[in-house]
Amino acid sequence: MQAKEFLSQNKISYVEKDINADAQARQDLLAKNIRGVPAFLIGEDMVAGLDQERILKLVDHRTAACPGCGVKLRLPLDRGPGQATCPQCKTAFDWQP
Ligand SMILES: [Zn+2]
């Protein structure tokens, strides 16, 4: 299945970048050590290739920074908004998807 088809079937909105035309996008990929396309940037995670399972898992989550220690947490959208507890410093905080 093609990347675009997969994304639209799963109602995932995206911004398409052409690394042949977009030097910044090319830099971003190289910075993550990814040399092939398609690649998907979801939050701060980069997925190389059309790894459907991984992409679906990542888009179901949002990252939020813990107000206590600043660590980035991945929170499931289907459980928000609500309270999350930081696994690192145990701070409980409210978050919105
Ligand atoms: Zn924390």
Side-chain angles (χ1 to χ4, degrees), residues 3-85:
K4 285 186 200 175
E5 197 183 321
F6 166 74
L7 292 170
S8 67
Q9 274 187 7
N10 288 282
K11 302 191 170 45
I12 299 168
S13 61
Y14 61 94
V15 178
E16 185 181 5
K17 293 190 176 176
D18 179 356
I19 60 164
N20 294 310
D22 186 336
Q24 183 61 51
R26 194 162 57 233
Q27 279 291 324
D28 290 347
L29 280 191
L30 288 175
K32 304 252 182 197
N33 235 340
I34 291 174
R35 284 161 207 287
V37 286
F40 304 86
L41 181 65
I42 304 160
E44 293 179 359
D45 288 290
M46 189 72 91
V47 179
L50 187 55
D51 183 342
Q52 302 185 10
E53 203 175 310
R54 182 132 190 264
I55 292 167
L56 289 175
K57 204 165 167 217
L58 288 172
V59 295
D60 276 346
H61 292 68
R62 286 288 176 278
T63 48
C66 167
C69 66
V71 77
K72 289 269 185 359
L73 305 175
R74 190 168 283 288
L75 300 166
L77 284 178
D78 60 2
R79 279 201 255 138
Q83 247 200 2
T85 304

Side-chain angles (χ1 to χ4, degrees), residues 66 68-71 86 88-91:
C66 167
C69 66
V71 77
C86 173
Q88 197 152 300
C89 68
K90 310 293 178 205
T91 300

